[in-house]
Amino acid sequence: RTRLSVQEVLALGRGSVVELDRLVGEPIDVFVGDRRFAEGEVVVVGEQFGVRITRIVEQGPGMPGAPS
């Protein structure tokens, strides 16, 4: 599990390192605040690691930010 604030994410740049406890190809969940935002997987692009978003999670009725 890795936690970053929005400010920390925006400060990431070339050469930044974020430690993950997953291997390439393993599924991950992406959270914004305490809400699960997306599903993805760890990928390698060239010599860089990244996260490929595979599905945006829809908000259910009554959840914060969901249409009423």
Side-chain angles (χ1 to χ4, degrees):
R1 174 174 284 187
T2 300
R3 288 183 174 258
L4 298 172
S5 68
V6 171
Q7 214 169 19
E8 291 170 317
V9 171
L10 293 174
L12 294 174
R14 184 177 294 261
S16 295
V17 175
V18 176
E19 188 173 328
L20 301 174
D21 61 354
R22 302 285 184 187
L23 299 174
V24 172
E26 285 191 301
I28 62 166
D29 291 320
V30 178
F31 286 79
V32 174
D34 290 330
R35 185 174 70 83
R36 190 165 151 248
F37 174 75
E39 296 173 351
E41 64 182 353
V42 178
V43 297
V44 175
V45 179
E47 295 182 12
Q48 305 293 315
F49 287 88
V51 174
R52 174 183 297 136
I53 302 296
T54 56
R55 183 171 87 88
I56 302 294
V57 178
E58 293 185 32
Q59 296 177 356
M63 291 184 69
S68 28

